[in-house]
Amino acid sequence: MADKAGPPPPPYFNFGARVRVCIMSGSDLLASDLNGFSDPYCKISFESESGKSEMEKKTSVKKKTLNPVWNEVLDFSFPAILKPGRVAYMVIRIYDADRFGSDDFLGEVRIPTKDILANPSSVEDPPNPDHAIALGGGEGEDGDWVVVEKKVEDPECKAKKTGKVPGTLMFKYHFYDSEWASLYKSQ
């Protein structure tokens, strides 16, 4: 009996899919420590509408600052993000690292997964993300990176209690998957 080759798997099974996130900097973040500063770090995850996290990575901690500079690149290789309805957002949560007790939540930024998938790159390895970028705000493109400067949201209303604005976060992301990119552009 001849072996029949079925149709190619759906694009969300392509294991070459990758999102590269460069957390660049934060500005005017909330002070969480008694010294008037915070020790901020970011947790990046891809989450469903219900808040279930598919994967999570974090940046290093920057000590005693409200204006941290990370310039750290985190790679996410996954087919799961491409499955419709499974992952709804890339979420970047900012925390203050504490030696004792749990870390303090400072705010978050959410990017809908559909926005990431709508900007597939034709370049597998984007240009070096370490060079400085001057943006007046909003979103722009830097080579094959999508650059975002976004106000930090405060779902726990911590800033409202203190009367302060939670700050802004500057980051870039790059989505590459040759099979998915070609399928997505043809639709």
Side-chain angles (χ1 to χ4, degrees), residues 15-36:
F15 289 95
R18 180 176 73 205
V19 171
R20 183 171 279 177
V21 181
C22 177
I23 304 296
M24 298 163 63
S25 62
S27 60
D28 301 320
L29 299 180
L30 291 174
S32 187
D33 295 338
L34 294 174
N35 62 11

Side-chain angles (χ1 to χ4, degrees), residues 47-48 51 89-93 108-112 150 153:
E47 298 181 357
S48 66
Y89 297 99
M90 175 175 73
V91 182
I92 304 171
R93 289 190 175 89
E108 69 182 34
V109 170
R110 291 177 169 267
I111 299 292
K150 196 163 182 174
E153 297 170 14

